[in-house]
Amino acid sequence: MTEFIALQYNVFVVFLYVGVGLGFLYDIIRCFRRLIKHNIFFVSIEDICFWMMSAIVVLHEIQIYNNGELRIYILLSGILGFIVYHYTISCVFVWTISYILLLVKKTVKKLKKMLKKQVKEGRIILSVRRNR
């Protein structure tokens, strides 16, 4: 009996990690959305793809760790992992990554603008080699 309980405990812990992983993946999508503005159509497509992939991951992990038997504690542990991640690390992660990506985006814009100005002023000459 204790071996069975230990197995269930291990499955519970695995699905806590699965929930955290899915939360992390969704935060990456959120950072991408902050970097590049989307309309509602593309947000919906991204969400549908995320949930389809999440379902595949969860079903795959259930098949591997619990021989395909769906139990309520498995789903609850995945949801718990997602919620714990969301209310602890998520806001700091999204803010930090979004800030870094926006700084990179602004820097690239400035460099592009400076390069364009240099080309326009003739300081950088872009020439095509002519065959004589």
Side-chain angles (χ1 to χ4, degrees):
M1 185 67 169
T2 58
E3 185 177 309
F4 182 69
I5 293 172
L7 179 65
Q8 287 181 337
Y9 173 77
N10 290 339
V11 171
F12 183 84
V13 171
V14 165
F15 278 90
L16 278 174
Y17 287 128
V18 168
V20 169
L22 292 175
F24 177 75
L25 181 63
Y26 195 73
D27 280 349
I28 291 172
I29 294 170
R30 288 174 55 200
C31 292
F32 177 69
R33 286 180 186 164
R34 286 184 176 190
L35 183 65
I36 301 171
K37 299 298 180 194
H38 293 71
N39 63 19
I40 192 70
F41 175 76
F42 290 111
V43 169
S44 300
I45 296 296
E46 289 171 357
D47 283 343
I48 289 170
C49 290
F50 169 77
W51 287 111
M52 287 174 51
M53 193 207 57
S54 297
I56 290 169
V57 166
V58 168
L59 292 174
H60 181 262
E61 297 301 311
I62 288 172
Q63 181 65 35
I64 289 175
Y65 289 102
N66 206 34
N67 298 322
E69 294 179 16
L70 180 61
R71 306 280 182 176
I72 192 71
Y73 75 91
I74 292 173
L75 296 177
L76 291 177
S77 67
I79 292 168
L80 179 65
F82 190 92
I83 290 171
V84 167
Y85 171 80
H86 180 72
Y87 286 107
T88 55
I89 304 168
S90 177
C91 60
V92 173
F93 174 77
V94 170
W95 185 87
T96 305
I97 297 301
S98 295
Y99 183 76
I100 291 169
L101 290 175
L102 288 174
L103 279 178
V104 169
K105 184 179 178 181
K106 285 180 182 181
T107 305
V108 168
K109 261 187 173 178
K110 284 182 182 180
L111 288 173
K112 188 177 174 183
K113 187 176 180 180
M114 285 175 34
L115 183 63
K116 200 173 188 179
K117 184 179 178 184
Q118 296 292 325
V119 168
K120 192 174 185 179
E121 291 176 357
R123 292 184 185 156
I124 298 176
I125 299 172
L126 300 175
S127 63
V128 178
R129 186 175 178 186
R130 298 180 189 169
N131 292 332
R132 294 182 196 219

